[in-house]
Amino acid sequence: MKPPADAYVPVTRLHFPGAGEWTISHGGRSDAQNHHYDTVGQRFAYDIIVKKNGRRKQPGAASTDNRAYYCYGREILAPAAGKVILAINDVQDNIPGQRGKRGGNGVVIDHGFGEFSSLWHAIPGSVRVRTGDLVVAGQVIGQAGNSGHSSGPHLHY
């Protein structure tokens, strides 16, 4: 018998939280697909990056430069309408390869029906919403970065 969360079907119609082509580097319903799977609060988490020609950063660029990574600075979009219940915007970016602490910069949106979206690792100063704001699907809420418990630029959704 599957745990109840594994059979859950969302009520809210969620849209992808970015424009253009992105790649899910971690995420899914097993430990083999998703290194967050064993953490109950992150069981449904996805780590999302941008790749070009199979690479996540520009060839020849320093691997310690966040700007060398294709997803760095890309817009993070609200996946559905809701109310922002948490917004953090002042955690510095990490140097790629050096993991920071906690979630970093990001937003938690309450979509109603007991459903929430949590989007993390934004560039400091890029989060455009505040706690209490109402957002609509597709609204820009920040830019992908490398803040918090992250070892490289990506969007943690």
Side-chain angles (χ1 to χ4, degrees):
M1 182 173 180
K2 287 183 175 185
D6 284 348
Y8 182 75
V9 177
V11 174
T12 304
R13 181 166 186 231
L14 299 170
H15 300 269
F16 191 76
E21 187 172 323
W22 293 66
T23 299
I24 296 173
S25 62
H26 294 279
R29 292 184 177 240
S30 73
D31 194 38
Q33 298 171 313
N34 184 356
H35 66 240
H36 304 293
Y37 187 79
D38 289 333
T39 306
V40 174
Q42 295 193 36
R43 170 140 308 161
F44 298 103
Y46 291 93
D47 286 339
I48 309 169
I49 61 172
V50 173
K51 285 187 172 183
K52 293 183 181 178
N53 299 318
R55 298 171 172 259
R56 56 185 299 184
K57 73 173 189 68
Q58 299 165 17
S63 60
T64 55
D65 182 357
N66 283 313
R67 295 167 298 174
Y69 292 79
Y70 295 120
C71 74
Y72 191 80
R74 294 279 293 263
E75 292 180 335
I76 300 169
L77 309 177
K83 183 175 184 176
V84 176
I85 61 167
L86 179 65
I88 298 174
N89 199 23
D90 61 355
V91 178
Q92 291 302 307
D93 268 334
N94 303 315
I95 296 170
Q98 297 179 12
R99 188 178 311 272
K101 296 178 182 171
R102 299 187 294 163
N105 302 308
V107 173
V108 177
I109 303 169
D110 181 348
H111 302 297
F113 312 105
E115 296 177 331
F116 300 83
S117 287
S118 183
L119 304 108
W120 294 99
H121 307 314
I123 294 171
S126 75
V127 174
R128 299 183 186 180
V129 295
R130 295 180 184 198
T131 301
D133 286 354
L134 298 178
V135 296
V136 297
Q139 180 177 335
V140 177
I141 58 172
Q143 293 175 283
N146 186 22
S147 61
H149 192 71
S150 169
S151 59
H154 71 285
L155 169 60
H156 180 85
Y157 175 43

